[in-house]
Structures are given as C-alpha cells and as structure tokens.
Amino acid sequence: MKKFSVVIAGGGSTFTPGIVLMLLANRQRFPLRALKFYDNDAERQQVIAEACKIILKEQAPEIEFSYSTDPQTAFSDVDFVMAHIRVGKYPMREKDEKIPLRHCVLGQETCGPGGIAYGMRSIGGVLELVDYMEKYSPEAWMLNYSNPAAIVAEATRRLRPQAKILNICDMPIGIEGRMAKIVGLEDRKQMRVRYYGLNHFGWWTSIEDLQGNDLMPKLREYVAKYGYVPPSADNHTEASWNDTFAKAKAVQALDPDTMPNTYLKYYLFPDYVVKHANPDYTRANEVMDHREKQVFNSCRAITAAGNSSAGELEIDEHASYIVDLATAIAFNTQERMLLIVPNNGAIHNFDDEAMVEIPCLVGHNGPEPLTVGDIPQFQKGLMSQQVAVEKLVVDAWEQHSYQRLWQAITLSKTVPSASVAKAILDDLIEANKEYWPELH
Ligand code: NAD
C-alpha cells in the first residue's frame, strides 16, 4: 500500500497533537512515510513538535518526522498539506471579539466584523501556503481547515483558481455527530444527508439512515425542545458551546422544515448574543486560559519526561474527516462529503461564482459537487447578503480598499448601521496594522 508524506501547516496549533494522534490511529487506511510540521513561529512550534516527536517514536518510529520554519524544507516532497493556521494567534482573536462588542455588536471568531477582520489577516497567510505547495510539491493537495473558511475559500477561488486546495469545515460534522446520538445511531456515517449553504451558514434538508428511513421527523421534534443537546450528558462540552447547541432550538423555529447550522444564531439572534456576552472575557480568553494552557503544559511535561504518559493529550477522533478526505483523493473512494466549492449551478437559483457548502463526491480528481436545485426565498435572501459580505472582503484585500471593507461590515447582518460599521472598522484597522494591507 502506498505511504504518504504530509506537512501540517500551523505546526504550533493547539490542534496539532490531537491531529497527530488521530493520524496515528488511522494509519491502517492512510499510511504515512513522513510527517513534517511547518509554522512561522519557531518557539511555539517547537513545544508541540518536541512532544509529538516522542509520541511518534513510541508509536511509529518508522515515520520520518521533522519540523521547520523554512518553507522549502517543509513543503518539499509532500503529498498533502494539512493547513490549520491562525494568523495573529489568540491575542488577535481576542481583539476580533472585543472590538465589535465595544460598539454593542457581537464579537465572534468567524462571524460579523470579527470574522471579517480575521479574514483580512488569513487571506495572505493561506495564499502563501498555496504558493509554497505549488513551488515545492506541485502534485500535492492542500486540505485547508484554517478559518474563516468562507472568506479564505473565496480568496483562493478568485486568486489561485488552479490551486489543488479543498476547503472543509468540522462544524457540520460535529452537529451530525449530535444528530446521530439524538436518533440513537452510533455514528454520523450511518446517516445520509442533504445540506446546502455557505460555510458556517447552512441547513440540512434531508437526513436518512442508510436504509432510506427519514430521520427528520424525530430530529425535528427533539431539536424543537432541546436544540442539539443530546440526551446523554457530555462532560466535554464547555458552557459557551452548550449554549450554542441549545440555542439551535430558536434558530430551527424560524424554518422548521430544515435543521440549521448552529452559527446561524449569530445572524438571526445577534441581540441575544450581545446580551449574553461578557465584553471583558470572551471565547478567546476561555481558550487561552484552558485549552491552550492544557495542551502546551502537557507537551512540555512529555518532553521533560521523555515519555508520552507524562502529559494528557487527547486524540481528536472527530478530525478523522481529514483522513476521509485524504483517502478519498489518494484512493479514489468517491466518499460523499460536505465541502466548500464554487456553486457552478449546483444551487440553481444562486450566484454561480459563490463558494457554497454542499455535498460532493470526492475522488482522485477532487470534488464532484451534487446538485441541490432551487432553494427557498428565506435562505436565498440570507445567503445572498452574506456571500456579498465575503466577496467584498476579498475585494477590499485585493484592492486595499477602505470603501469595500466599510461596505462589507455594513452589509453584515450582525451590524445595525453604516455609522456603527465605520466606527468598528476604524478600530479594527488600528488593531490590525501589522497584518492587513494598508487601506486607502
Ligand atoms: P493556534 O493559534 O493554536 O495555532 C495556529 C498556528 O498557526 C500558530 O502556531 C501560529 O504560529 C501559526 N501561524 C499563524 N500564521 C501563520 C502563517 N502565516 N504561516 C504559518 N503558520 C502560521 O490556533 P488553533 O486554535 O489551533 O486554530 C488553528 C486554525 O484551525 C484556526 O484557523 C481555526 O479557526 C482552525 N480550525 C478549524 C476547524 C475546522 O474544521 N474548520 C476546526 C478547528 C480549528
């Protein structure tokens, strides 16, 4: 069986150890010959990489492991680039969340003005990764799950149209896992779904088991009462996420025929979100105080002891969708997966050039999108507005245009007026000087 060489871009990410453990657990179906890390922050990456080196030595000494901040070293001789970078890291995410809140607008990683600010930082970083891949391993594929995926996907569609990049998100996968629990199935792969939308902005229209039994009536009844909080308590879910899963009940009430993506709460109930936010302590603070500390402390402990049992790193099994995607390309499995792809007529009554999230069959030539057909006015209206925001952000980045970015923030459904949009934009420009192109 062929063995693959993979580079993880964003080697210093809090998600890297969990992904490495997941790759090791899945190596029967996706065998590795080499694993490399790449990051532009040498110090941060080293902490994660030294611990992963020990894990790899214990579990799979045959896999050649290295890490580097040099693009040529990292991107040469690879078959896949798994990209999860966060340009500006958590301190900039904190600003994305807190600046809009100062103006009574929600602050969120990928939605609203915060997501727009993050998009303006991420476009250049992801394009750079694409260019390194094309220069040093032109046959490779990039599996990108760096956020904000919608804006990044629009940028790569427009600015690197020939690139072998697949943009994928784990949120629908996480929600489907919950749906499976709700209807009493062991695994989301025991369901076949129809879904359409934009990234972090979509709806399930049909959910069946593999025998073709309709699971929507049971889900509808349950979600109307409890949202996506499954019957058996899950101690792993943090309070802020639990609230999001419970709020799906209110989101679903707007269109009971479908099941919503949880992120729609930010667009449909922004007043609720602002009211329940703490402007001095946001999700970025939660992650920095808990997840980031836990992962980095564990890595340091493992390296100091020279033994993986000294730390508590958890396998990110739900990230095995990345292996599903890699094996679909490598072994032409034709697996059906939700990907962010150019619409190209899949949704009949929607912009052909929009990047939409829809089911695709994935094989060695990449994704083959499935037809969605016509979508209803409510969804079409919301999606048209949001896709315009995403396109205007890429316009602004490309043209260094203040005007386009002001329009983008004004058009976001989370922002009440052009004057509020301008005030937020001016604060965001100040905070993002190091990362954004200079706007005129
Ligand atoms: P993190 O800050 O822990 O890690 C990101 C790493 O990227 C850092 O080590 C940083 O130094 C590095 N980096 C930043 N800019 C870079 C550049 N230009 N080139 C190379 N490396 C760079 O962040 P995290 O919480 O682990 O998240 C990583 C990314 O993955 C985020 O974009 C996050 O939103 C995304 N994510 C996506 C999904 C999904 O399925 N779509 C799920 C979880 C996280």
Side-chain angles (χ1 to χ4, degrees), residues 9-15 38-41 44 84-90 109 118 125 128-129 145-147 149 168-171 291-292 296 321:
S13 155
T14 55
F15 290 104
Y38 169 76
D39 203 289
N40 64 0
D41 180 338
R44 187 178 172 92
H84 56 209
I85 60 169
R86 182 187 293 285
V87 180
K89 291 171 273 194
Y90 286 113
E109 180 187 22
Y118 186 18
E128 194 174 71
L129 299 180
Y145 40 101
S146 310
N147 271 316
I168 189 161
C169 176
D170 69 342
M171 196 67 241
R291 195 187 142 70
E292 191 182 34
F296 276 79
Y321 71 90

Side-chain angles (χ1 to χ4, degrees), residues 49-120:
E50 284 299 321
C52 290
K53 194 196 268 180
I54 290 165
I55 295 170
L56 281 152
K57 205 182 274 169
E58 286 175 359
Q59 290 197 29
E62 72 283 4
I63 299 174
E64 203 182 298
F65 176 70
S66 63
Y67 61 97
S68 177
T69 52
D70 172 49
Q72 181 167 3
T73 310
F75 287 81
S76 295
D77 183 34
V78 297
D79 303 301
F80 290 96
V81 179
M82 296 181 176
H84 56 209
I85 60 169
R86 182 187 293 285
V87 180
K89 291 171 273 194
Y90 286 113
M92 286 310 295
R93 173 173 178 177
E94 185 182 7
K95 291 185 182 174
D96 293 343
E97 292 169 348
K98 291 186 177 173
I99 289 172
L101 277 172
R102 292 212 294 261
H103 302 271
C104 299
V105 167
L106 65 85
Q108 211 276 330
E109 180 187 22
T110 64
C111 306
I116 291 172
Y118 186 18
M120 287 288 286

Side-chain angles (χ1 to χ4, degrees), residues 361-392:
L361 302 179
V362 189
H364 62 96
N365 291 323
E368 198 179 327
L370 299 176
T371 301
V372 174
D374 285 332
I375 59 172
Q377 196 59 255
F378 176 61
Q379 278 83 0
K380 188 176 165 226
L382 285 168
M383 282 168 60
S384 298
Q385 180 175 13
Q386 180 59 18
V387 93
V389 172
E390 291 157 7
K391 285 178 182 244
L392 283 165

Side-chain angles (χ1 to χ4, degrees), residues 123-397:
I123 293 172
V126 172
L127 292 181
E128 194 174 71
L129 299 180
V130 171
D131 293 344
Y132 292 148
M133 176 177 85
E134 295 198 324
K135 182 163 180 195
Y136 299 117
S137 286
E139 298 302 313
W141 281 87
M142 183 182 293
L143 314 181
N144 181 54
Y145 40 101
S146 310
N147 271 316
I151 292 171
V152 166
E154 169 59 14
T156 55
R157 178 193 74 82
R158 205 187 297 181
L159 303 169
R160 297 292 183 279
Q162 305 305 327
K164 288 162 80 178
I165 176 171
L166 293 175
N167 293 294
I168 189 161
C169 176
D170 69 342
M171 196 67 241
I173 288 160
I175 297 171
E176 284 174 18
R178 285 167 176 270
M179 289 173 171
K181 272 194 192 149
I182 290 168
V183 297
L185 295 174
E186 269 166 32
D187 188 350
R188 68 177 182 89
K189 290 192 179 177
Q190 293 171 327
M191 307 187 309
R192 191 159 290 135
V193 309
R194 292 184 65 82
Y195 178 97
Y196 71 84
L198 311 171
N199 178 239
H200 286 181
F201 205 100
W203 295 264
W204 284 265
T205 54
S206 154
I207 300 167
E208 295 182 341
D209 65 17
L210 298 183
Q211 288 71 46
N213 297 309
D214 186 4
L215 303 175
M216 285 294 259
K218 187 164 179 191
L219 275 169
R220 224 174 257 137
E221 195 184 328
Y222 188 93
V223 174
K225 282 196 198 130
Y226 310 108
Y228 293 127
V229 180
S232 52
D234 168 5
N235 301 329
H236 274 69
T237 310
E238 292 159 283
S240 56
W241 271 110
N242 237 337
D243 180 68
T244 290
F245 289 122
K247 189 68 184 169
K249 166 185 167 174
V251 180
Q252 202 256 350
L254 256 149
D255 183 30
D257 291 342
T258 59
M259 292 289 147
N261 191 306
T262 44
Y263 280 91
L264 287 162
K265 87 165 182 182
Y266 296 108
Y267 301 95
L268 299 173
F269 298 96
D271 50 348
Y272 167 91
V273 175
V274 172
K275 205 167 143 209
H276 288 80
N278 178 349
D280 300 318
Y281 195 83
T282 57
R283 177 70 189 153
N285 299 112
E286 256 178 45
V287 179
M288 287 189 277
D289 288 346
H290 300 288
R291 195 187 142 70
E292 191 182 34
K293 276 209 178 95
Q294 194 272 325
V295 170
F296 276 79
N297 286 343
S298 276
C299 285
R300 286 194 186 96
I302 289 170
T303 306
N307 184 327
S308 69
S309 57
E312 285 175 27
L313 294 176
E314 280 182 20
I315 176 171
D316 195 353
E317 186 47 47
H318 101 281
S320 59
Y321 71 90
I322 298 161
V323 168
D324 295 340
L325 187 56
T327 52
I329 290 166
F331 302 114
N332 199 25
T333 63
Q334 301 294 323
E335 183 159 345
R336 181 174 164 146
M337 303 185 78
L338 292 182
L339 292 179
I340 307 159
V341 292
N343 183 34
N344 267 340
I347 302 174
H348 291 159
N349 52 346
F350 200 63
D351 182 356
D352 274 354
E353 294 196 329
M355 290 301 278
V356 293
E357 194 167 74
I358 52 175
C360 301
L361 302 179
V362 189
H364 62 96
N365 291 323
E368 198 179 327
L370 299 176
T371 301
V372 174
D374 285 332
I375 59 172
Q377 196 59 255
F378 176 61
Q379 278 83 0
K380 188 176 165 226
L382 285 168
M383 282 168 60
S384 298
Q385 180 175 13
Q386 180 59 18
V387 93
V389 172
E390 291 157 7
K391 285 178 182 244
L392 283 165
V393 175
V394 180
D395 288 347
W397 188 86

